Every structure is written in structure tokens, then in C-alpha cells.
Amino acid sequence: MVYYRNGLPMRNANVLTVFGEGKVHVEPNLAFITIGIVRENKNLQTAQAENSVASNNVIQALLALGINQNHIRSVEYRIDNVYDFVDGKQIFRAYEVRHLLEVQVENIGQIGLVVDTAVAQGANIIFNIRFDTSNRSAKYHEALTLALSDAHAKARTITNGLGVVFQPIPIEITETRQGVAPVPYQTFTLEKVAGASTPIEPGTLQIEASLIAKFLY
């Protein structure tokens, strides 16, 4: 392949390929909490009714906290048969009705209150507390800029070691990764969150970008 610089062919050009990565740390300002309402009863209609009442109580209580109705959505509703095993035999115990709600919380300081309120109104599973940021795109662009700077610095180091001069403008750039490094979510049982206030620490998000850049030398 013939490469060109300033419109002129570079017959003996060499290509240096380097990997660059950038990371930006940011405090999250959004949280997504999955709240579960699970009820068991030998009568299916009773189990459904009990779950419906508890689910509605949880939703109404969250709305009263100021959570936007559009930020509360059902992510799972299922009915299962629950069995016990006695002396190697499967014995029907009850019907289990499970309703999972995902709640978006825009006030990080309100997370503990949301958890406690949901439990007080009948939720018995709280899990998958996931943190995010509303300005992820802008922060990713920052990380991408750092990744390009990292690739450029590596190319300079390598060519300096070889005693050659490289062209600082890459001839090709390929993004290879983007996203937010996840904060480990926390899972709570009813016993854990039954206190007066549940402390939730969001930690810090790490937004990552990486690329492959090719330089001529």
C-alpha cells in the first residue's frame, strides 16, 4: 500500500500500530434499583391479589417520595409453582407470584429512603442497585481524548527508541471499547434493610475508552 503526505507518495513508509486507553472517574448522579414483591399462597388468585396490593402500595409510596411515574417500570412478572422435597418426593407448597420493579432515582441521597419505603410497604427483595451518570456521553468523549493522547505518547516513545521520526497525525483510528466500568451492585434481604435508615454508598464510576491508532514513520 502506498501512503501519501501532503499529496506526495511515501514509497518507503512504515506503519506503527499502538493501543491507547483513557479512563475518567465521575461521581454518579443516577441510580437504578430493582425492587421485588414476592408472595406465596396455595390459592393462585389469593397470591396474585396479595402481590397486587403490595405492589400498588410500593408504587404509590414511591410516587409520594417524588419519584417520577415514568421512572418506575415493571421488569418482570411471573408465577411459579413452589415445591418442597420430603423423603425424596416433590410436594406442592404454594404458588409464588413475583413482581419486579426498576426504579430510577435521580437524587442519590434518596436511595436509602427509597429502599426503606419500599420495604415498609411490602417489598421483600431489594437487589441490583446500579449507578450511572446523566452526562456519560460527555465523559466518554473525555476518556476518548485521553485514549488518543495515550496512543500518541506510546508512538512517540517507541519511535524515539528506534531513532526515527513519526508523523503525529494518525492515518487510521479504530475505537475498540467504550462504556462504564460497573460498580458492584448490592443485594439486600428484608432483614438487612429493615432498619431506620439504609446507608448506600455509590462510590465512583469509571468511564473507559480505548482505540487502536496507526502512525507513519
Side-chain angles (χ1 to χ4, degrees):
M1 179 179 292
V2 178
Y3 295 98
Y4 293 83
R5 184 176 65 188
N6 299 327
L8 299 176
M10 300 177 63
R11 301 292 181 181
N12 299 316
N14 296 302
V15 179
L16 173 64
T17 301
V18 294
F19 176 83
E21 60 181 349
K23 299 177 182 180
V24 174
H25 293 85
V26 58
E27 291 185 4
N29 61 1
L30 293 175
F32 297 86
I33 308 172
T34 303
I35 296 172
I37 301 98
V38 180
R39 294 294 184 270
E40 286 187 12
N41 197 287
K42 288 187 175 182
N43 182 281
L44 177 57
Q45 287 71 30
T46 300
Q48 288 179 295
E50 291 176 349
N51 191 288
S52 178
V53 170
S55 296
N56 186 63
N57 289 342
V58 169
I59 292 171
Q60 293 305 314
L62 294 178
L63 293 174
L65 291 180
I67 302 296
N68 190 308
Q69 187 168 9
N70 293 330
H71 294 165
I72 303 173
R73 67 185 186 97
S74 295
V75 293
E76 181 179 297
Y77 185 89
R78 59 185 292 174
I79 299 173
D80 293 308
N81 294 337
V82 181
Y83 296 92
D84 291 323
F85 288 88
V86 180
D87 297 329
K89 295 182 179 180
Q90 180 176 278
I91 300 176
F92 175 76
R93 185 177 79 203
Y95 293 100
E96 178 187 272
V97 179
R98 176 183 294 255
H99 187 192
L100 301 184
L101 300 169
E102 183 182 74
V103 181
Q104 178 180 325
V105 181
E106 296 184 322
N107 180 357
I108 292 294
Q110 200 179 23
I111 298 176
L113 178 60
V114 169
V115 169
D116 294 336
T117 299
V119 170
Q121 295 300 320
N124 46 7
I125 298 178
I126 305 292
F127 67 101
N128 196 21
I129 299 180
R130 176 172 57 87
F131 298 97
D132 206 342
T133 177
S134 59
N135 61 342
R136 184 195 301 192
S137 179
K139 293 300 180 181
Y140 172 71
H141 290 169
E142 290 183 24
L144 193 60
T145 299
L146 292 175
L148 182 57
S149 297
D150 182 49
H152 192 276
K154 288 177 179 177
R156 182 176 299 278
T157 297
I158 293 171
T159 52
N160 283 345
L162 294 173
V164 297
V165 178
F166 81 109
Q167 302 302 314
I169 299 178
I171 59 171
E172 183 180 318
I173 298 174
T174 304
E175 290 183 71
T176 57
R177 183 184 65 202
Q178 57 178 295
V180 177
V183 175
Y185 66 80
Q186 302 180 55
T187 300
F188 301 96
T189 61
L190 176 60
E191 291 75 18
K192 184 175 180 180
V193 299
S197 179
T198 301
I200 306 295
E201 297 298 330
T204 302
L205 293 176
Q206 180 174 280
I207 298 179
E208 304 174 346
S210 62
L211 53 82
I212 295 174
K214 295 181 180 182
F215 299 87
L216 296 181
Y217 68 94

